[in-house]
Amino acid sequence: MITIMTNDAKQMTNDAKQMINNQSTSNLLMIRPVSFGFNEQTAESNAFQTRGADQQKVQANALAEFDGLVKVLTDNGVNVTVINDTMQPHTPDSIFPNNWISFHAGGDVFLYPMQAVNRRLERREDIVKILATQFNIKHVIDLSRFEHEDRFLEGTGSMVLDRENKIAYACLSPRTDRNALATFCRQAGYKAVSFHAFDENGLAIYHTNVLMCIGSQFATICLDSITDTNEKQLVINSLKATNKEIIEISFDQMNHFAGNMLEIKNVNEDTLIVMSKSAYNSLTTHQISALSKYGKLIYADISTIETNGGGSARCMIAEVHLPVLVRGR
């Protein structure tokens, strides 16, 4: 069901009070694009990004793919708050809101420092206000000041959060600064597990969420991308200590966004694992079987978005872990 936003929400539910540190949620935020396209300002550090042949058709194709993914989610009983992007200012990557904002079960909202100047324009106060009509927001913590120091931390792209165990996995890169990461962890009560990762050509991987996904009981990860033996063992040890089944993916699967999955819930508390059609098609029968133990696999064709934006299904979703407000009181 697509959430209808109203102003009559008054009181926290008991269920919301019990949501602290759940790994997944049934409440999602997605931004419907109006001017999606290849972003020149992000291309240098994003090796997953490729200019499509016909840029004139990119927005129309991306819009159809966006609506298709939303339909897959809502057909599976997920609450999706869809907010339209605006024509001005021009924000070609607004379809990826998880980079500039994250929502936490205690009522905190974090805003993040973005490397690309045109991506900083995606931060919209009106979106926070809209969500405040449905959810209990206690604090908005703005880390965008790090932009003045050329330090960046692009939300749950830079960090893959184990919310249950309060661990932030972070691949350090031009978009993921160690000091900004430490500040988030200190303010959010997380422990950082940081490392360096590279693609098969030796290029630094720009975001952590393209190489790994954390679920309640599993982790998909391209371990081959972590070339330092000690760092790799640090990650493995942390995953094993938190009882995650490690499902390894290859470089080729990572390049098809198999690392860019997200565990979510539906309104019946069933677990879903959302990904792109490209990611799903890259998986082996064994990997599908392993993942299916932990949730229903759902996917949609978002190839235009993946090619031109260099991000996939997980990047398009900002999970709203905020406590829900009761309507009609």
Side-chain angles (χ1 to χ4, degrees):
M1 62 199 77
I2 296 180
T3 302
I4 299 174
M5 292 163 289
T6 64
N7 293 312
D8 60 354
K10 301 292 183 184
Q11 182 177 330
M12 285 179 62
T13 66
N14 290 328
D15 287 344
K17 294 176 183 178
Q18 298 171 2
M19 283 179 59
I20 302 297
N21 298 340
N22 283 352
Q23 182 63 23
S24 52
T25 178
S26 63
N27 297 310
L28 310 179
L29 167 69
M30 297 178 68
I31 307 300
R32 195 168 189 258
V34 296
S35 188
F36 175 80
F38 183 87
N39 189 349
E40 299 281 357
Q41 293 188 23
T42 60
E44 182 178 353
S45 60
N46 185 348
F48 292 78
Q49 190 179 339
T50 306
R51 184 190 296 275
D54 190 348
Q55 284 293 298
Q56 292 183 341
K57 294 181 179 179
V58 164
Q59 161 60 20
N61 291 342
L63 184 60
E65 291 174 2
F66 175 90
D67 289 342
L69 179 57
V70 171
K71 186 176 188 303
V72 168
L73 292 166
T74 56
D75 284 351
N76 280 277
V78 181
N79 290 316
V80 184
T81 298
V82 175
I83 297 178
N84 288 321
D85 191 17
T86 56
M87 288 299 296
Q88 295 296 329
H90 177 53
T91 51
D93 279 332
S94 63
I95 201 170
F96 304 131
N98 80 306
N99 297 142
W100 68 267
I101 194 166
S102 68
F103 306 96
H104 301 263
D108 289 340
V109 175
F110 279 84
L111 306 179
Y112 293 99
M114 309 285 283
Q115 184 186 51
V117 173
N118 64 7
R119 294 217 62 190
R120 300 171 190 177
L121 302 173
E122 296 172 27
R123 292 191 297 261
R124 287 172 49 185
E125 183 179 355
D126 65 308
I127 291 177
V128 178
K129 289 180 177 179
I130 288 170
L131 290 173
T133 67
Q134 296 178 271
F135 302 95
N136 184 36
I137 296 177
K138 293 182 178 179
H139 306 102
V140 177
I141 302 158
D142 189 351
L143 302 180
S144 64
R145 65 185 183 276
F146 281 102
E147 290 168 355
H148 301 297
E149 306 171 20
D150 288 331
R151 298 180 184 275
F152 312 109
L153 184 71
E154 297 188 338
T156 53
S158 288
M159 301 176 292
V160 172
L161 300 181
D162 180 341
R163 293 178 183 261
E164 294 175 323
N165 296 291
K166 304 288 274 188
I167 299 171
Y169 293 89
C171 166
L172 300 174
S173 75
R175 301 203 201 177
T176 304
D177 176 77
R178 191 187 297 275
N179 290 343
L181 171 65
T183 299
F184 166 82
C185 288
R186 184 171 62 252
Q187 296 194 6
Y190 275 70
K191 170 190 173 183
V193 174
S194 59
F195 53 93
H196 298 81
F198 305 89
D199 65 18
E200 62 269 51
N201 297 314
L203 298 175
I205 294 175
Y206 80 111
H207 274 166
T208 314
N209 74 1
V210 297
L211 71 94
M212 70 182 299
C213 160
I214 297 290
S216 301
Q217 301 178 71
F218 72 92
T220 57
I221 183 168
C222 181
L223 285 173
D224 287 341
S225 69
I226 307 174
T227 55
D228 183 277
T229 302
N230 292 331
E231 290 184 344
K232 182 182 298 188
Q233 196 60 51
L234 175 69
V235 173
I236 292 171
N237 290 346
S238 180
L239 294 173
K240 288 184 175 179
T242 50
N243 299 313
K244 309 295 185 191
E245 178 183 354
I246 298 174
I247 302 170
E248 284 196 58
I249 58 173
S250 66
F251 278 122
D252 183 66
Q253 291 172 322
M254 181 184 72
N255 292 337
H256 286 86
F257 294 100
N260 202 240
M261 305 175 183
L262 181 65
E263 178 187 290
I264 59 177
K265 298 281 190 182
N266 65 16
V267 293
N268 297 319
E269 289 295 304
D270 301 318
T271 300
L272 310 171
I273 302 172
V274 59
M275 66 193 75
S276 70
K277 182 179 179 181
S278 173
Y280 181 83
N281 287 342
S282 77
L283 297 175
T284 66
T285 302
H286 175 74
Q287 290 168 326
I288 291 172
S289 177
L291 284 166
S292 295
K293 292 186 298 185
Y294 303 114
K296 177 183 177 182
L297 277 53
I298 61 174
Y299 55 89
D301 183 357
I302 51 173
S303 53
T304 301
I305 296 168
E306 290 177 320
T307 299
N308 289 272
S312 189
R314 192 277 168 269
C315 303
M316 295 169 65
I317 297 169
E319 318 103 276
V320 184
H321 283 263
L322 298 168
V324 179
L325 298 173
V326 175
R327 302 176 185 276
R329 295 289 183 89

